[in-house]
Amino acid sequence: MARTVLVSGASIGGPALAFWLHRYGFEVTVVEKAPELRTGGYKIDLRGAAIEVADRMGLLDAARAAETEMQSLSFVNDAGKRLVSMPAELFMGRGEADVEVMRGDLSQMLFDATKDDVEYLFGESITGLVQGDDGVAVSFEKAAPRTFDLVVGADGLHSNVRALAFGDEAQYVRDLGYQVSIAGVDNHLALDREELIYTVPGRTVNVYSTKQMTGAKALFLFAAPQEPLQRRDVAGQKAYVAKEFTGAGWETDRLLAGLEATDDFYFDSVSQVRMDGWTRGRVALVGDAGYCPCFASGQGTSLAMVGAYVLAGELAAAGGDHVAAFAAYDREMRTFVEKNQELGRNNIGQMIAKNRFQSWMGVQMMKVLPKLPWRDAIVEKMIGPVREAATAIELKDYQTPVQDGRSADSLGA
Ligand SMILES: Cc1cc2nc3c(=O)[nH]c(=O)nc-3n(C[C@H](O)[C@H](O)[C@H](O)COP(=O)(O)OP(=O)(O)OC[C@H]3O[C@@H](n4cnc5c(N)ncnc54)[C@H](O)[C@@H]3O)c2cc1C
């Protein structure tokens, strides 16, 4: 029965999985290719089932204390005039119980909750996996080869473990036709818990500053087919974003200068990962690696948190029998994943205007919405699908099995 687990990726899914596996008595090693924990990124939401998971981890209070406390969101024109403003929670369908934190803050919380109990190897990556009857022989970029009972890829959209165990990513990564870049920039607009959105056909720029931030975050979203950019070529990615947005109007050029200067930079295609199964032999995938719903769903982090909880719980419930546990993981997660991926596909088209008319219409709709008698019904139509997707799984209260007269909890906790 499985007892040792190697996890690739220390962002959200990896440390969350390590937390639960350790709780159930497994020995966990996490490899992360970055030299240290990556704390950049945008604000992200924890919703529905993921809030329950954070609560069961004992992290909900800390997450609430780190909330962004965003107040409002405004669409601006080329001259910077606020055309229409609305409460922040209406955007992206945020409900009262949801928690919005910076991705890096959550990643840090998960790391802090596991670092004393889990072996973390930073600046490391898996180079080979050979599955046998008794385990997986793993080779690394730097460390000596080791054998683990199980290997889990929590290494994101371009998962290394998925490539090694399931094959080329072209089979699984579905490009939705957009590219996104997020950068830490100066707060030269003196924003205070406010987000500004500027849209021109095919391009959207957002900038905001949260309660905790001294600077600001800028997001550049644009319609474009996937470019064969080198993922490690940050300078090339920055140049690509600059080429697409220079002269687009409003404060865009100044924000691009900030993007050029910063180390806090994220760039990727807006894509989903769609797979018929997330396990193969002794290898499993968690989070974006197996079922990235795309950033427009607002649910990638919640899926990773819930997936980690379910995978670890099923392994504990099956007493380490990975065959039974992996089958149950797939069964439990399938509908939840599909509903959230549907959200991503529906939302992305609304985040970018195809032409000037659509851009104008979007603003007019926001202006008249508060005055409409059926306003609540429209708001419900916006928020309802998000709430439905976020709660489309019933979390089991995993009872850890009794082994050799001891519960798995007592083995590890
Ligand atoms: C620095 C950063 C910034 C992000 N910013 C945003 C954002 O602004 N908006 C948004 O919607 N999403 C962002 N994301 C993605 C978001 O975190 C995920 O969609 C979601 O939280 C699911 O998390 P995950 O743990 O499954 O995958 P990810 O968060 O993608 O994490 C994957 C982890 O695996 C590591 N990794 C990759 N390859 C290897 C390898 N070969 N060996 C070892 N480790 C490897 C990565 O460095 C990363 O730490 C960001 C991710 C990162 C890493």
Side-chain angles (χ1 to χ4, degrees):
M1 292 296 154
R3 292 253 65 90
T4 58
V5 184
L6 173 66
V7 179
S8 174
S11 173
I12 304 293
L17 180 70
F19 176 97
W20 288 108
L21 286 175
H22 168 73
R23 170 79 64 91
Y24 298 134
F26 294 86
E27 276 172 47
V28 189
T29 299
V30 180
V31 286
E32 164 60 53
K33 78 169 179 199
E36 58 197 19
L37 196 73
R38 301 173 68 191
T39 52
Y42 217 56
K43 50 188 165 60
I44 52 93
D45 286 295
L46 288 178
R47 298 195 178 95
I51 298 215
E52 182 59 34
V53 170
D55 197 19
R56 291 184 193 186
M57 295 173 97
L59 294 180
L60 190 54
D61 287 347
R64 288 212 188 281
E67 277 197 271
T68 60
E69 296 190 14
M70 292 296 291
Q71 302 292 308
S72 66
L73 180 140
S74 305
F75 282 82
V76 293
N77 66 10
D78 189 34
K81 180 170 181 244
R82 286 163 176 74
L83 300 172
V84 59
S85 299
M86 63 183 135
E89 61 270 16
L90 205 60
F91 198 66
M92 297 294 281
R94 190 162 305 125
E96 263 176 36
D98 299 352
V99 184
E100 185 181 71
V101 291
M102 298 307 292
R103 189 208 75 90
D105 288 347
L106 181 63
S107 188
Q108 186 73 55
M109 275 175 224
L110 294 166
F111 176 68
D112 288 345
T114 49
K115 65 178 191 299
D116 295 335
D117 306 313
V118 166
E119 181 189 22
Y120 276 94
L121 303 175
F122 283 94
E124 186 58 280
S125 180
I126 299 170
T127 52
L129 299 172
V130 179
Q131 300 206 39
D133 289 344
D134 298 327
V136 190
V138 183
S139 51
F140 297 97
E141 259 174 28
K142 296 176 195 151
R146 283 163 72 175
T147 299
F148 296 85
D149 294 331
L150 303 174
V151 174
V152 182
D155 40 11
L157 178 59
H158 306 289
S159 168
N160 180 42
V161 168
R162 190 185 57 224
L164 291 169
F166 297 75
D168 192 75
E169 74 171 42
Q171 301 169 66
Y172 310 112
V173 176
R174 300 280 168 265
D175 180 19
L176 300 187
Y178 302 87
Q179 309 276 339
V180 64
S181 181
I182 292 150
V185 296
D186 286 344
N187 187 12
H188 77 276
L189 295 166
L191 300 173
D192 175 14
R193 292 165 294 162
E194 184 186 13
E195 180 160 7
L196 301 181
I197 303 185
Y198 174 68
T199 64
V200 289
R203 301 201 174 359
T204 296
V205 181
N206 289 24
V207 59
Y208 68 86
S209 188
T210 68
K211 182 185 155 212
Q212 301 86 357
M213 286 165 55
T214 47
K217 292 273 179 179
L219 172 144
F220 301 85
L221 175 66
F222 56 109
Q226 200 157 14
E227 277 268 309
L229 286 178
Q230 290 294 321
R231 280 202 295 282
R232 292 188 188 208
D233 177 15
V234 169
Q237 293 168 354
K238 286 183 175 180
Y240 179 42
V241 177
K243 180 169 78 69
E244 292 291 326
F245 281 88
T246 298
W250 184 52
E251 297 285 333
T252 306
D253 287 356
R254 179 129 184 215
L255 295 170
L256 284 174
L259 173 138
E260 175 60 34
T262 189
D263 290 335
D264 176 7
F265 174 77
Y266 171 81
F267 174 86
D268 217 323
S269 62
V270 178
S271 303
Q272 295 193 324
V273 174
R274 295 193 219 133
M275 304 180 77
D276 293 337
W278 303 303
T279 65
R280 188 160 286 180
R282 292 174 170 272
V283 178
L285 301 171
V286 157
D288 278 6
Y291 31 80
C292 178
C294 96
F295 92 100
S297 72
Q299 281 290 97
T301 301
S302 288
L303 276 190
M305 292 279 285
V306 171
Y309 174 81
V310 173
L311 178 57
E314 293 296 345
L315 276 165
D321 173 355
H322 70 278
V323 177
F326 284 2
Y329 170 55
D330 203 288
R331 259 195 326 271
E332 291 295 311
M333 289 292 291
R334 186 56 59 181
T335 305
F336 184 53
V337 165
E338 283 173 1
K339 280 197 184 292
N340 284 287
Q341 291 203 323
E342 192 183 331
L343 213 56
R345 289 191 292 276
N346 292 343
N347 284 355
I348 186 68
Q350 294 164 24
M351 294 179 75
I352 215 155
K354 288 195 178 65
N355 48 48
R356 282 187 185 285
F357 176 72
Q358 229 182 44
S359 179
W360 177 84
M361 262 311 275
V363 171
Q364 302 316 307
M365 286 297 292
M366 299 295 173
K367 277 186 180 167
V368 296
L369 180 65
K371 298 171 196 147
L372 295 174
W374 54 90
R375 171 204 138 113
D376 290 351
I378 295 177
V379 170
E380 177 55 28
K381 214 172 156 36
M382 288 159 80
I383 292 180
V386 183
R387 193 177 50 231
E388 201 187 305
T391 53
I393 184 168
E394 200 161 320
L395 292 178
K396 289 188 199 166
D397 192 4
Y398 287 103
Q399 297 299 315
T400 52
V402 174
Q403 294 166 353
D404 309 328
R406 295 186 298 158
S407 75
D409 265 339
S410 72
L411 286 173

